[in-house]
């Protein structure tokens, strides 16, 4: 079995090109494959490899002060879900292209998975307000699954979210809105932007769907969570819809 990780961390990076080269060298030495994005605002990682290779890579990364608090989501696959290792330097680790959406200036308020599950169980938050789950992913992703009765938007790119959300803003005023995505990176930026735009009733789901699966399971979630590799989607037990070995056999 191979160990798969998904992780992101917002922190100022003074020399993204140098860090990208450093991370690529370490990942290659550990025999890892996947995608790493590096920007002035932080890093975004999707990697798979041996358990020793992954943990060795993470140990060296967390030894750097700016990544000491890196939170990682783990899952497993029978075979390598990535064809190769790709390391890119970008302007953002997730493109949003909106002002007032930088986690470097402070995080948006978050709700933990256990608290959210309790709210969904009881049908309201602790103040008695209805809870609306806002899916910040695109239509291909939520086609594989999303939270029950979630508000989904007909978008193909994360940058389209502000315009697609506009018609719903008035209807959301009396609710506690919980933005969510795969691992937390998009809903974190979206929640910050929404708050800056006057939506003070917005929280982000800490750790995204994968974090919710890890800590709560599939309560109030219908289907699977799309992931950006050959596993296609993970169920609430973090098992893949399609293992790379299965894909080869089916071809």
């Amino acid at each position: 079995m191979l160990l798969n990780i998904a992780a992101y961390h917002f922190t100022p990076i003074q020399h993204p090109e140098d860090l990208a080269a450093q991370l690529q060298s370490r990942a290659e030495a550990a025999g890892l494959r996947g995608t790493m994005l590096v920007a002035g605002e932080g890093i975004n990682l999707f990697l798979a490899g041996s358990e020793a290779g992954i943990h060795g890579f993470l140990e060296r990364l967390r030894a750097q002060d700016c990544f000491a608090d890196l939170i990682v989501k783990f899952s497993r696959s029978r075979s390598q879900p990535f064809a190769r290792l790709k390391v890119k330097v970008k302007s953002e680790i997730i493109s949003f292209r909106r002002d007032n959406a930088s986690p470097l200036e402070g995080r948006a308020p978050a709700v933990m998975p256990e608290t959210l599950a309790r709210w969904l169980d009881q049908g309201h938050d602790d103040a008695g307000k209805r809870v609306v789950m806002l899916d910040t992913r695109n239509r291909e992703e939520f086609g594989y699954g999303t939270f029950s009765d979630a508000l989904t938007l007909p978008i193909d790119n994360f940058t389209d979210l502000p315009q697609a959300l506009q018609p719903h803003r008035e209807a959301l005023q009396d609710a506690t809105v919980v933005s969510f995505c795969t691992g937390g990176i998009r809903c974190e930026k979206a929640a910050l932007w929404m708050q800056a735009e006057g939506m003070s009733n917005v929280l982000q789901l800490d750790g995204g769907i994968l974090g919710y699966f890890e800590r709560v399971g599939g309560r109030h979630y219908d289907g699977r969570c799309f992931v950006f590799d050959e596993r296609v989607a993970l169920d609430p037990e973090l098992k893949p819809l399609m293992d790379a070995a299965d894909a080869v056999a089916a071809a």
Side-chain angles (χ1 to χ4, degrees), residues 79-187:
S79 54
Q80 177 58 256
F82 297 102
R84 62 187 187 278
L85 176 67
K86 295 186 291 185
V87 183
K88 298 180 179 181
V89 176
K90 311 280 280 187
S91 58
E92 296 179 84
I93 55 175
I94 180 66
S95 294
F96 194 42
R97 299 198 289 273
R98 292 294 189 281
D99 294 332
N100 303 318
S102 174
L104 295 180
E105 299 172 9
R107 265 193 112 208
V111 59
M112 298 302 294
E114 296 88 346
T115 300
L116 176 62
R118 178 168 54 80
W119 288 356
L120 296 176
D121 285 343
Q122 64 195 24
H124 54 79
D125 67 9
D126 291 336
K129 295 175 64 176
R130 68 188 180 100
V131 176
V132 174
M133 301 299 297
L134 173 62
D135 200 328
T136 63
R137 302 171 303 158
N138 66 48
R139 66 182 99 206
E140 178 185 6
E141 295 172 81
F142 65 68
Y144 283 87
T146 188
F147 280 94
S148 302
D149 301 318
L151 172 58
T152 57
L153 303 173
I155 63 175
D156 295 311
N157 299 290
F158 184 44
T159 51
D160 300 331
L161 183 142
Q163 182 176 354
L165 181 63
Q166 186 61 37
H168 302 277
R169 288 186 57 169
E170 184 174 351
L172 296 174
Q173 289 180 358
D174 68 337
T176 292
V177 178
V178 178
S179 69
F180 68 93
C181 58
T182 306
I185 185 170
R186 282 174 287 184
C187 51

Side-chain angles (χ1 to χ4, degrees), residues 26-48:
R26 292 178 186 174
E28 288 174 344
L32 308 183
R33 296 184 193 174
T35 300
M36 293 191 284
L37 304 180
V38 183
E41 65 179 7
I43 60 172
N44 192 10
L45 313 174
F46 298 92
L47 296 170

